[in-house]
Amino acid sequence: EVRRETVDSATLVIKPGWGFSFDYAPGQYIGIGVLMEGRWAWRSYSLTSTPDSSANDKTISITVKAMPDGLVSQHLVHRARPGTIIQIDQASGDFVLPQSVPAKVLFLTGGSGITPVMGMLRHRIDAEEAFAADTEHAESAHDIVVLHSAAHPEDVIFADELRSLDATGRIR
């Protein structure tokens, strides 16, 4: 699936082949290989899906912003279609939340820097919803603030989702 996020960004939902480990940490990235003009070109993109949702439906997602001179990002955002064959690496990277998440979290992001943070936010919200369902508590266990910057309001990736999270008190 390819979902347009802004005029120059898209979320790609990917069904990995055998051997992919869905045991990744929110905030990690994967290498993506795209065949262009007979050669494989590789770039890395943050996972915006959560490990739990990925394992359940056997898909992962990345969100890509097309950079002006970015051959791979331009290709993925403007030419990728469902069924496009790509290569992927296993998830890696150290930009993840600690095992014991602090009671107060501040995320400062700009542009496409929101993508690894969105994976973390979605994971925390899923965990809090599971906790609330088990304990009949509806309050958030964490105070999460997101300060995000973009050149123009229409450039904010995940704008509707961020507004919804703010409106429901899950983030500020």
Side-chain angles (χ1 to χ4, degrees):
E1 179 183 2
V2 179
R3 289 190 305 257
R4 181 75 47 208
E5 298 291 344
T6 65
V7 72
D8 64 351
S9 68
T11 293
L12 287 80
V13 179
I14 302 164
K15 186 171 185 92
W18 65 271
F20 182 81
S21 173
F22 291 95
D23 185 25
Y24 60 89
Q28 288 188 310
Y29 61 88
I30 58 172
I32 300 286
V34 179
L35 186 60
M36 297 180 350
E37 299 178 18
R39 300 179 73 144
W40 288 95
W42 286 82
R43 295 295 178 271
S44 295
Y45 297 100
S46 296
L47 288 155
T48 51
S49 52
T50 66
D52 291 338
S53 66
S54 293
N56 289 338
D57 67 9
K58 302 294 185 216
T59 64
I60 57 173
S61 67
I62 59 170
T63 302
V64 179
K65 179 178 175 62
M67 303 309 290
D69 294 326
L71 296 175
V72 174
S73 65
Q74 288 284 340
H75 180 84
L76 291 172
V77 171
H78 298 297
R79 290 186 281 291
R81 301 287 177 262
T84 299
I85 302 296
I86 60 171
Q87 292 186 11
I88 61 174
D89 281 338
Q90 293 293 337
S92 61
D94 296 326
F95 181 56
V96 298
L97 290 172
Q99 285 291 88
S100 178
V101 179
K104 295 183 180 214
V105 179
L106 170 63
F107 289 112
L108 300 173
T109 61
S112 61
I114 189 68
T115 58
V117 169
M118 187 54 70
M120 292 179 206
L121 289 173
R122 289 172 175 161
H123 181 70
R124 290 303 318 147
I125 290 162
D126 288 350
E128 288 174 2
E129 287 176 354
F131 175 77
D134 286 346
T135 63
E136 298 182 14
H137 293 94
E139 300 118 32
S140 171
H142 295 84
D143 183 2
I144 302 173
V145 175
V146 178
L147 293 176
H148 181 69
S149 176
H152 306 285
E154 62 273 11
D155 295 335
V156 176
I157 300 171
F158 308 120
D160 292 340
E161 187 173 359
L162 289 167
R163 277 190 212 98
S164 175
L165 292 173
D166 179 50
T168 58
R170 291 184 167 140
I171 65 169
R172 294 186 289 135

